[in-house]
Amino acid sequence: HVQLVESGGGSVQAGGSQILSCAATRGTSSNVHMAWFRQEPGKERGGVAFSGLDDGSAYYANSVKGRFTISRHDAENTVYLQMNRLTPEDTAIYYCAAGDRFTTRDGSWFPRVGDFPYWGQGTQVTVS
């Protein structure tokens, strides 16, 4: 069983940066794919960034490409999400997720909530 704990959320001004952390307990982050999702009020949870287990491949939602970077440090059992040039549209609850499968479509990650059985509690990011 994988347990995930996010940290690093909060309020930031538009154009600023923020980094989110996700600590995986029990030394499991090196054995699973890791991803970040986000959810705005009244909307479905959507994929933001993905880090693959086997080759460290990274995929991003089009809305964050070039601004967000996902990185994993398996020795620390932690995955990070560096967010730059934030806009109010990035305001959401951000969730870390882990699992042993993922879906691709047209050569890119296709985010599916159902692919990830393990989730953190979420951390609020507010951009104003």
Side-chain angles (χ1 to χ4, degrees), residues 37 47 50 59 101-113 115-116:
F37 285 72
F50 171 88
Y59 297 100
R101 65 174 183 172
F102 67 102
T103 301
T104 61
R105 186 169 293 179
D106 297 327
S108 293
W109 175 46
F110 184 78
R112 285 166 44 105
V113 171
D115 284 343
F116 298 89

Side-chain angles (χ1 to χ4, degrees), residues 1 3 14 19 35 47 51 58 70 79 98-99 103 113 115-116 121 124 127:
H1 183 73
Q3 294 179 324
I19 185 166
S51 175
I70 187 171
V79 64
T103 301
V113 171
D115 284 343
F116 298 89
Q121 81 284 0
Q124 175 72 46
V127 185

Side-chain angles (χ1 to χ4, degrees), residues 53-73:
L53 164 63
D54 297 326
D55 58 2
S57 54
Y59 297 100
Y60 299 93
N62 288 333
S63 60
V64 306
K65 278 182 183 176
R67 299 188 300 122
F68 290 14
T69 302
I70 187 171
S71 61
R72 58 192 298 162
H73 297 268

Side-chain angles (χ1 to χ4, degrees), residues 4-9 18-24 36 78-82 94 96 121 123:
L4 306 172
V5 179
E6 301 107 336
S7 60
Q18 200 164 52
I19 185 166
L20 304 181
S21 301
C22 174
W36 287 95
T78 302
V79 64
Y80 300 94
L81 185 68
Q82 174 69 50
Y94 284 71
C96 177
Q121 81 284 0
T123 184

Side-chain angles (χ1 to χ4, degrees), residues 26-37:
R26 304 188 183 183
T28 53
S29 71
S30 60
N31 300 320
V32 291
H33 304 298
M34 302 292 291
W36 287 95
F37 285 72

